[in-house]
């Protein structure tokens, strides 16, 4: 190993040790319209500073998005040493981005891990956005300490899913893309469908009911947690859902991706 690389590795290691000692990690959530980030106090799951948002570059090519995310992070002072986690709305398996349902198709097949490591100049934890949202709920939110099978669903532009067995994530489940009668549920029952298809609230709820009942018939969760921005209006639709498992509102709302990314960064720094 060259002396320069050795020095970089040592600096990375010292950084992550310093971040851990402070009990803070930085989370970044990449979405179709905005990139949001904030430092998270790992003991409480709360932001140490208000989150900041920048517009997702257009076109949202991997390089442009990674650069914007790194700049967002660099705008926070005094946090250079804390671990960083980043979410993408896509499957990330063994460093590689495998899907691009609501992002630029040029993401498919790229080495997302190297892309973000290089943009940030330090190793980052890279994961699916719904998996991150689920991690936040299981670690500090509505499913904290919940045994058995927990199904976290995020209703937004698409439908994200995160599946946990005794608190352990089964990554990249993509259960938002279950098909009913040959049609992908992801656009059909997402929160975006409400306005896109000009639906009444009752019509949208019946789509969500059909989607969740179908998912339930396949995985039989012990608890269903509903997240995404629309969960702020949970009282308007959760009481109408008729499912076998209890259904609860996510507690971290739209911040769950950032918070889960921070917890994943922390876990990755310990590995
Ligand atoms: C993607 C998922 C993502 C979800 C929420 C879906 O279209 O396939 O990977 O988690 O949207 O952003």
């Amino acid at each position: 190993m060259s002396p320069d690389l050795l020095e970089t590795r040592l600096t990375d290691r010292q950084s992550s040790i310093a971040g851990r000692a402070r009990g803070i990690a930085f989370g970044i959530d990449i979405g179709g319209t905005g990139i949001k980030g904030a430092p998270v106090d790992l003991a409480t799951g709360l932001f140490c500073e208000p989150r900041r948002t920048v517009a997702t570059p257009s076109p949202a090519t991997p390089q442009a998005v990674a650069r914007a995310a790194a700049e967002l992070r660099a705008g926070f002072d005094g946090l250079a040493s804390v671990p960083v986690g980043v979410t993408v709305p896509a499957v990330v398996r063994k460093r590689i981005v495998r899907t691009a349902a609501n992002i630029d198709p040029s993401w498919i097949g790229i080495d997302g891990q190297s892309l973000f490591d290089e943009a940030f100049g330090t190793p980052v934890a890279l994961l699916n956005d719904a998996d991150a949202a689920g991690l936040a709920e299981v670690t500090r939110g509505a499913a904290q300490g919940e045994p058995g099978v927990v199904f976290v669903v995020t209703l937004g532009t698409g439908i994200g899913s995160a599946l946990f067995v005794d608190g352990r994530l089964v990554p990249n489940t993509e259960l938002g893309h279950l098909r009913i009668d040959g049609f992908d549920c992801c656009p059909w029952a997402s929160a975006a469908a409400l306005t896109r298809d000009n639906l009444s609230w009752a019509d949208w709820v019946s789509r969500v009911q059909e989607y969740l009942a179908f998912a339930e018939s396949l995985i039989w969760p012990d608890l269903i947690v509903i997240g995404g921005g629309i969960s702020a209006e949970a009282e308007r639709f959760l009481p109408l859902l008729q499912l076998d498992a209890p259904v609860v509102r996510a507690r971290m709302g739209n911040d769950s991706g950032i918070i889960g990314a921070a917890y994943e960064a922390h876990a990755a720094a310990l590995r």
Side-chain angles (χ1 to χ4, degrees):
M1 191 182 290
S2 75
D4 279 358
L5 192 53
L6 180 61
E7 194 181 321
T8 311
R9 291 269 163 87
L10 285 174
T11 313
D12 287 346
R13 181 145 180 74
Q14 285 156 356
S15 294
S16 81
I17 290 168
R20 258 184 277 153
R22 293 172 60 190
I24 297 172
F26 199 91
I28 297 184
D29 192 20
I30 295 176
T33 52
I35 302 175
K36 306 175 287 187
V40 176
D41 177 340
L42 298 166
T44 60
L46 301 174
F47 292 164
C48 310
E49 287 181 47
R51 76 169 189 212
R52 294 185 202 163
T53 306
V54 293
T56 306
S58 175
T61 58
Q63 286 72 19
V65 168
R67 204 176 315 120
E71 280 168 15
L72 171 74
R73 158 79 183 70
F76 285 79
D77 289 332
L79 294 170
S81 63
V82 308
V84 183
V86 176
T87 79
V88 282
V91 167
V92 184
R93 197 182 64 182
K94 296 191 173 125
R95 312 175 63 92
I96 310 294
V97 178
R98 302 298 303 268
T99 62
N102 284 316
I103 51 170
D104 195 272
S106 60
W107 282 83
I108 295 180
I110 64 148
D111 180 343
Q113 188 64 59
S114 298
L115 174 80
F116 283 97
D117 287 356
E118 278 160 28
F120 282 76
T122 185
V124 306
L126 182 64
L127 74 164
N128 173 264
D129 58 354
D131 282 348
L135 281 171
E137 295 302 327
V138 162
T139 313
R140 284 278 174 271
Q144 186 176 354
E146 204 59 48
V149 176
V150 173
F151 181 38
V152 181
V153 181
T154 62
L155 299 173
T157 311
I159 302 179
S161 75
L163 193 66
F164 294 84
V165 182
D166 290 333
R168 226 190 129 116
L169 175 69
V170 181
N172 295 314
T173 45
E174 292 290 329
L175 291 166
H177 292 286
L178 288 176
R179 287 175 171 265
I180 298 177
D181 295 336
F183 292 101
D184 186 345
C185 292
C186 188
W188 181 73
S190 64
L194 200 50
T195 45
R196 188 199 57 226
D197 295 348
N198 207 8
L199 297 178
S200 69
W201 195 262
D203 285 344
W204 178 72
V205 174
S206 80
R207 289 187 184 187
V208 175
Q209 165 69 32
E210 201 175 334
Y211 164 68
L212 289 174
F214 184 49
E216 178 165 64
S217 73
L218 299 173
I219 54 173
W220 289 95
D222 297 298
L223 176 69
I224 300 173
V225 180
I226 305 290
I230 199 123
S231 63
E233 298 186 72
E235 68 286 350
R236 291 183 71 190
F237 67 99
L238 286 200
L240 304 176
L241 296 173
Q242 293 182 331
L243 294 152
D244 194 72
V247 189
V248 296
R249 171 218 297 250
R251 227 180 272 157
M252 309 289 191
N254 257 344
D255 293 330
S256 57
I258 299 175
I259 297 165
Y263 280 114
E264 180 62 13
H266 177 67
L270 294 177
R271 278 184 210 124

